[in-house]
Amino acid sequence: MGELFDNLRLGFATALSLVNLALCLGGCMIGTLIGVLPGIGPIATIAMLLPITFNLEPTGALILLAGIYYGAQYGGSTAAILVNIPGEATSVVTVLDGHPMARQGRAGVALGIAAIGSFIAGTIGTLVVAGLGVPLSEVALWFGPPEYFSLMLLGLSLAVVLAQGSLLKAGAMVLLGLLLSTIGADLETGQDRLTFGFDDLSDGLDFAVLAMGLFGFAEVLRNLEGSEHQPKIESRIGRLLPSRADFKQALGPILRGTGLGTVLGILPGNGAVLAPFASYALEKRLADEPSRFGKGAIEGVAGPEAANNAGAQTAFIPLLTLGIPPNAVMALMVGAMTIHGIIPGPQVITNRPDLFWGMVASMWIGNVALLAINLPLVGLWVRLLRVPYRLMFPAILVFCCIGIYSLNNRPGDVLLMAGFGLAAHCLYKFGFEPAPLLLGFVLGRLLEEKLRQALVLSRGSFLPFVARPVSCALLLVALVVIIVALLPSVSKKRAEVSLS
Amino acid sequence: MGRVSRDLGAGLCLLGISLLAIWQGSELELGTLRQMGPGMMPRVLAVLLGVCGVALSVRSLTERSAQPSALPVAALVAGGAARWAPLRGPVCLLAAAGAFGLTVRPLGLVVAAPLGILLSMGAHVDASRGQRRWLLESLAFALGLTLFCVLLFRTLLSLPMPVAPWLIGY
Amino acid sequence: MKHMQWVALVVIAFFWAGSAKAQPYPSRPITEIVPFAAGGPTDVIARITGEYMSKLLGQQIVIENVKGAGGTTGITRGAQATPDGYTIMMGHMGTHAAAPALYPKLKYDPNKDFEPIGLAVGTPILVVVKKDFPAKDLKEFIAYAKANQAKLNEAHAGVGSVSFTTCSLFDSQLGIKPAKVAYPGAGPALNDLMGGQVDYMCDQIVNVAEQIKGGKIRALAIATAQRSPALPDVPTTKEAGLPDFQVSAWNALFAPKGTPKEVVAKLNDALAKSLDDPATKKRLLDLGGILPDPPERTPDSLARLVKKEVERWTPILKATGAVGE
């Protein structure tokens, strides 16, 4: 314990230097901005800012880049709540209840609880990284391909809980999402799959293109269709920040979400993307009135937001303790470290304790900074909702177009987004929901990759999936989730909730 | 007139997608379980999707209760100006995105953005104001928003977006 | 009178645009295409050398990451770019030697479609095994591998990657055909190696050095003539009993065919000088890189290397039967 305090003291001393503090704040602000803007994500921004970090001290450089990363998580929730557009894969779940809350005039409450929940999760996450980082990284290594596959199956089974309407349609959407994720060059052979001859699709579909199309474009279409040509938003704004009662309701989900995010974040290969979905499903299961979900239940915002922020913190564990980046953003951090002569690996924590502990300390400082930045902004964002829709929607559209174009500098992406928007509109008409589709898409690549790897390792046998303890346990949980959802009593409730 | 039952339409839609996927992926190797080829996963998923589609269609046909029409069939059949009204939104937005996509590289943001904004605004004409006034307002808004975008994306975030290659070179 | 202002503006604009072309090279930022994700070894090398080159040339070298298909997507784009010296690319052994054998529909010819600029850095390859692999050194590994082929699992970072290509050579020299497990990158492959899910892989030193030092995996040999100062305890393949396995993943700068000779010369000079700059040199050496000797830094030397490497790798890779697209 004493050692931990010493290390933390070193960390804070490093992180609180004027330069590092400024970099932390700068990073958080840039991150928030790009998180709010649809399309542009932390990956592109960090890649662009890499050259600028050359002249900085390695610790400072990493603090800046890390700030952008979690800033983007906070910003992404803002966009999700206000305009129903998930900026990142981790904000998909926030739109389900966050945006309905905004429509009910409770945008401030939603934004506030998202920020507060993220802060609590971030604090706990930082403590976990500080205290349990090294042992947890060992645990993560137990996850081989079969375990991962089972985890992904469990994730997909959550779609049945996530969905509000017909189970069959939700399942179909998951399958469609999985199918869409196979588009692009095959991992092993490099052959193009389902690309219809378009070279542009060789890299696969970008999440942002799909999300913008399904949520941004389709949403605008839907709103314009109504007789008033705009979404029904309560004119009175209501509270700007969560009340005591709100907070009490949200505390449990926040803590549970933090737990889920912390555990899933350490899994290399972006297992963290599962955390918000898992949290949403858990909260819906535990709530006394699950029918509130999808209509503005505060637990549906608090839990997932906490989960994704906790996951963002613990995602640093495999990077800092093993030198393995768990996702694309962390891979950029590896690059940043390498350029500065610090090669990430198990020895970083002993060779450069100032770097490790400085980063840990600045994680927490970053969360404080983000809370300080985002809470006052709530008022500004809420006021933005009052802009007449006839001006809002072209702005949303053009932001989406610019954001999407900036991903790969490909005009084709913009057209693809529009195409998906139209398709989503049709799907909506038929009673399908977009959330399970995105879930399938997000998990698809990893699911297939792990399945193929596991089958090669087992020489074609499916035995390891049930023989290995962790994998077996995950599969059982998935089975339970599906069975419970299929029980007659539950599906009857579901029929009442189905979309009209 | 014909009522397109929603679930039937949904099921057929899924079936269509499934067949499309199977057709596109027909040249890919399936491989074996030991060494899954690139075609295995898409094929399996497409087949499952098709099964869902069939299930949905069958269910809709066996259900007695009438369901709301999914597509604006009534409007299309009724004819007249009302026929095109529901299509206005999608067409305008598609045109807006298309125009943006086609013009952003050669002509830059200063052309692409206003074009996109104006075309999309066509989806929502406010009949209460005069035609001319609306046009001027929209133009002003489009130019203002474009300026804001250029400042935000190009200047502040330094994203490599073409602003006006024909005017200032980048 | 009002119109005169506009006319003047247009005239000035024309002159300004026209004069930009008359200025000496380089008069605006240069785009360097790196055909892999940012943060990976090639990207890092490009950024480290690019930083110093930018200083020498007086114009910023802007890295553009274009990933896909083992690096061939980015190289294809670079090969088709305007040969005015403002688009160059960092290729490596995979894109300019292995690609023709692995990608039958390849849209470029490494020997014909480029103006070689110069070699940057080579990164030695190591053979690494999981921590508790039942072989203490390379000789025991070879014996075990030959006896237990069917059980052996080799990790690689995808068809066309350095780990795939170099291990193909390794396997063919040993005469074994292990089960090859594909990962979406060196990181995930290394991760499963550390977890003991797979048995071995061949990878660049910069990806594995720290994990070896931290004891998470073991190195059996390094495929160079001399031991690396970064990992002095790892024997060379010559010492360990497999002298024919000598590979290093070389990285080099290329320009599209038709780029003027003076431009190429200027870029080559900047690159060569950056390799001599003490700070840059140190960073590259710290990564475990091998810097080419002065005679190897010329464009002609690079052209010869490309030719030789294509000839070397084509038969080996064709024999594996792997096909990319």
Side-chain angles (χ1 to χ4, degrees):
Chain A
M1 250 302 135
E3 205 187 302
L4 185 63
F5 277 128
D6 283 334
N7 287 326
L8 282 175
R9 206 172 336 134
L10 167 66
F12 275 103
T14 318
L16 285 172
S17 78
L18 219 57
V19 172
N20 287 342
L21 203 58
L23 288 170
C24 185
L25 264 141
C28 288
M29 285 204 279
I30 297 176
T32 310
L33 182 62
I34 56 165
V36 172
L37 290 172
I40 305 173
I43 298 180
T45 315
I46 294 179
M48 263 188 323
L49 289 177
L50 267 183
I52 299 183
T53 62
F54 266 127
N55 303 321
L56 300 168
E57 280 286 322
T59 314
L62 286 173
I63 288 180
L64 173 71
L65 299 177
I68 298 179
Y69 175 55
Y70 15 90
Q73 304 288 327
Y74 275 75
S77 351
T78 308
I81 292 171
L82 288 181
V83 286
N84 209 40
I85 300 181
E88 291 281 307
T90 44
S91 339
V92 170
V93 185
T94 313
V95 309
L96 293 176
D97 275 86
H99 190 59
M101 279 181 82
R103 291 203 178 180
Q104 292 159 10
R106 296 180 78 207
V109 177
L111 291 168
I113 208 77
I116 295 174
S118 297
F119 175 71
I120 295 177
T123 308
I124 298 179
T126 308
L127 285 172
V128 167
V129 175
L132 297 174
V134 177
L136 276 180
S137 64
E138 299 287 322
V139 170
L141 286 180
W142 292 348
F143 259 69
E147 283 77 21
Y148 254 107
F149 176 75
S150 304
L151 183 65
M152 294 297 120
L153 269 189
L154 174 57
L156 290 180
S157 72
L158 295 176
V160 309
V161 189
L162 218 61
Q164 295 171 270
S166 148
L167 272 186
L168 184 55
K169 287 185 180 173
M173 284 296 102
V174 169
L175 288 170
L176 185 56
L178 287 171
L179 194 61
L180 289 174
S181 79
T182 61
I183 296 180
D186 176 47
L187 175 64
E188 282 195 35
T189 61
Q191 282 177 293
D192 277 344
R193 303 196 292 183
L194 300 182
T195 58
F196 294 89
F198 291 119
D199 274 340
D200 276 352
L201 287 178
S202 280
D203 281 334
L205 288 172
D206 243 295
F207 170 80
V209 171
L210 202 57
M212 295 298 120
L214 289 182
F215 281 94
F217 215 77
E219 170 80 359
V220 170
L221 276 174
R222 209 179 327 173
N223 288 328
L224 290 176
E225 237 187 21
S227 52
E228 299 132 17
H229 292 281
Q230 59 195 30
K232 310 175 191 62
I233 298 186
E234 286 259 340
S235 50
R236 59 174 188 84
I237 287 298
R239 294 191 61 95
L240 272 184
L241 285 177
S243 66
R244 251 236 161 110
D246 289 324
F247 194 65
K248 225 166 123 190
Q249 216 179 355
L251 191 60
I254 289 176
L255 291 173
R256 286 188 287 268
T258 307
L260 281 171
T262 310
V263 167
L264 290 170
I266 52 174
L267 297 176
N270 215 9
V273 76
L274 199 49
F277 292 102
S279 167
Y280 190 86
L282 183 66
E283 294 312 316
K284 196 170 174 186
R285 278 250 129 262
L286 292 176
D288 347 303
E289 267 180 83
S291 52
R292 283 185 299 123
F293 278 71
K295 303 206 184 94
I298 200 172
E299 298 95 320
V301 175
E305 279 302 311
N308 86 37
N309 206 43
Q313 310 291 321
T314 53
F316 279 89
I317 291 182
L319 174 70
L320 293 175
T321 57
L322 293 175
I324 304 283
N327 57 42
V329 175
M330 294 297 152
L332 284 173
M333 304 279 194
V334 169
M337 288 170 81
T338 318
I339 292 175
H340 282 96
I342 301 174
I343 310 188
Q347 312 223 294
V348 163
I349 188 172
T350 37
N351 291 348
R352 291 287 308 245
D354 58 322
L355 179 77
F356 182 85
W357 296 106
M359 278 214 71
V360 170
S362 94
M363 272 186 210
W364 190 72
I365 296 177
N367 274 286
V368 175
L370 283 165
L371 194 67
I373 295 174
N374 279 287
L375 278 183
L377 282 180
V378 167
L380 175 70
W381 296 130
V382 168
R383 220 155 292 154
L384 205 63
L385 280 178
R386 292 185 127 182
V387 170
Y389 198 65
R390 62 184 172 86
L391 297 179
M392 267 282 257
F393 84 82
I396 294 176
L397 196 77
V398 93
F399 276 129
C400 281
C401 287
I402 296 179
I404 295 290
Y405 180 75
S406 74
L407 282 176
N408 294 312
N409 289 335
R410 281 202 300 243
D413 285 343
V414 179
L415 294 169
L416 206 56
M417 169 191 75
F420 274 118
L422 287 176
H425 192 55
C426 295
L427 287 178
Y428 170 73
K429 289 271 188 219
F430 283 126
F432 292 112
E433 297 165 70
L437 195 152
L438 276 180
L439 178 60
F441 180 77
V442 154
L443 297 180
R445 286 257 153 171
L446 207 55
L447 183 91
E448 184 187 2
E449 177 202 323
K450 293 302 169 189
L451 178 64
R452 285 167 92 161
Q453 287 166 358
L455 285 176
V456 171
L457 287 172
S458 69
R459 306 294 189 265
S461 152
F462 280 102
L463 193 60
F465 292 107
V466 284
R468 289 162 72 130
V470 178
S471 170
C472 188
L474 290 168
L475 284 176
L476 282 174
V477 175
L479 207 59
V480 166
V481 167
I482 297 180
I483 291 179
V484 168
L486 286 176
L487 283 178
S489 57
V490 181
S491 51
K492 206 177 285 179
K493 247 193 204 163
R494 183 180 297 283
E496 292 163 11
V497 180
S498 87
L499 300 165
S500 56
Chain B
M1 253 324 279
R3 257 187 193 230
V4 183
S5 155
R6 190 173 73 169
D7 274 3
L8 182 60
L12 292 174
C13 204
L14 290 180
L15 204 55
I17 298 175
S18 156
L19 291 170
L20 191 65
I22 293 178
W23 168 66
Q24 254 296 301
S26 54
E27 300 157 357
L28 297 170
E29 265 180 45
L30 286 180
T32 60
L33 267 190
R34 211 173 221 254
Q35 188 84 281
M36 270 173 69
M40 172 91 78
M41 192 83 168
R43 179 73 59 90
V44 167
L45 291 171
V47 165
L48 287 174
L49 194 64
V51 166
C52 282
V54 169
L56 209 53
S57 309
V58 166
R59 195 175 77 175
S60 78
L61 289 173
T62 55
E63 248 168 35
R64 299 303 165 94
S65 55
Q67 285 181 339
S69 175
L71 306 169
V73 183
L76 283 174
V77 169
R83 180 196 282 237
W84 302 113
L87 290 177
R88 201 237 214 98
V91 166
C92 277
L93 290 186
L94 191 59
F100 183 92
L102 291 171
T103 55
V104 71
R105 237 196 223 167
L107 299 174
L109 265 184
V110 294
V111 171
L115 211 58
I117 297 169
L118 288 171
L119 279 172
S120 66
M121 287 181 95
H124 174 282
V125 181
D126 202 338
S128 57
R129 297 159 185 261
Q131 188 79 315
R132 197 185 225 206
R133 180 134 174 248
W134 177 80
L135 212 61
L136 282 174
E137 268 185 8
S138 310
L139 206 63
F141 175 67
L143 290 173
L145 188 58
T146 306
L147 185 63
F148 176 71
C149 285
V150 171
L151 286 174
L152 178 63
F153 292 99
R154 187 75 216 206
T155 316
L156 184 62
L157 292 174
S158 37
L159 281 178
M161 294 219 72
V163 174
W166 46 277
L167 191 61
I168 51 179
Y170 66 85
Chain C
M1 269 296 114
K2 235 198 251 182
H3 300 288
M4 285 305 285
Q5 288 171 320
W6 289 110
V7 174
L9 214 65
V10 171
V11 169
I12 292 173
F14 265 119
F15 271 114
W16 184 41
S19 65
K21 295 207 175 106
Q23 277 165 8
Y25 175 88
S27 59
R28 53 184 167 89
I30 301 165
T31 304
E32 180 178 333
I33 296 181
V34 172
F36 298 98
T42 310
D43 178 72
V44 167
I45 290 170
R47 288 181 195 268
I48 293 178
T49 51
E51 197 205 346
Y52 194 77
M53 284 172 73
S54 301
K55 286 200 201 117
L56 280 177
L57 292 167
Q59 283 288 343
Q60 184 68 27
I61 292 190
V62 178
I63 306 278
E64 194 180 311
N65 297 90
V66 182
K67 55 189 164 99
T72 55
T73 310
I75 297 295
T76 307
R77 194 181 293 194
Q80 293 169 351
T82 324
D84 56 3
Y86 289 100
T87 308
I88 57 179
M89 64 213 99
M90 174 75 76
H92 75 4
M93 182 189 83
T95 59
H96 279 76
L102 292 173
Y103 298 94
K105 296 201 188 146
L106 195 63
K107 296 195 177 99
Y108 61 84
D109 181 332
N111 285 310
K112 298 207 190 91
D113 294 327
F114 302 91
E115 297 287 353
I117 297 177
L119 256 187
V121 177
T123 52
I125 301 296
L126 285 100
V127 180
V128 288
V129 295
K130 65 180 181 186
K131 217 172 15 173
D132 35 350
F133 190 80
K136 280 202 278 55
D137 54 33
L138 191 59
K139 284 214 170 71
E140 282 184 27
F141 177 88
I142 296 176
Y144 179 90
K146 289 193 177 155
N148 298 293
Q149 261 195 71
K151 283 202 293 177
L152 217 50
N153 294 312
E154 173 198 314
H156 65 85
V159 169
S161 66
V162 166
S163 46
F164 178 84
T165 313
T166 51
C167 245
S168 302
L169 178 61
F170 183 69
D171 294 337
S172 77
Q173 284 182 350
L174 259 56
I176 55 174
K177 270 197 175 296
K180 285 171 110 96
V181 189
Y183 288 86
L190 190 55
N191 188 65
D192 268 9
L193 187 67
M194 283 197 287
Q197 315 284 349
V198 286
D199 295 312
Y200 75 104
M201 66 187 276
C202 311
D203 204 355
Q204 304 177 58
I205 192 172
V206 59
N207 289 333
V208 295
E210 288 300 308
Q211 284 75 16
I212 296 171
K213 285 193 218 168
K216 304 283 181 194
I217 52 177
R218 282 190 293 124
L220 293 181
I222 186 168
T224 48
Q226 280 147 341
R227 296 196 177 197
S228 167
L231 288 168
D233 293 329
V234 178
T236 66
T237 44
K238 223 191 295 191
E239 292 166 359
L242 197 65
D244 291 333
F245 189 56
Q246 296 280 322
V247 190
S248 99
W250 47 268
N251 295 277
L253 272 181
F254 294 89
K257 184 105 200 141
T259 308
K261 291 261 179 271
E262 321 82 62
V263 170
V264 172
K266 226 175 179 178
L267 288 167
N268 171 280
D269 181 62
L271 177 63
K273 290 216 171 77
S274 77
L275 296 177
D276 284 329
D277 167 55
T280 309
K281 201 167 162 182
K282 178 175 187 313
R283 272 185 180 159
L284 292 172
L285 288 175
D286 280 345
L287 291 177
I290 299 178
L291 296 175
D293 299 322
E296 293 170 329
R297 295 185 195 176
T298 65
D300 290 330
S301 164
L302 177 59
R304 283 195 296 271
L305 177 68
V306 171
K307 189 157 185 294
K308 200 172 65 154
E309 287 279 284
V310 170
E311 284 166 12
R312 176 191 194 189
W313 291 104
T314 304
I316 297 168
L317 290 171
K318 283 227 154 82
T320 65
V323 157
E325 206 165 288

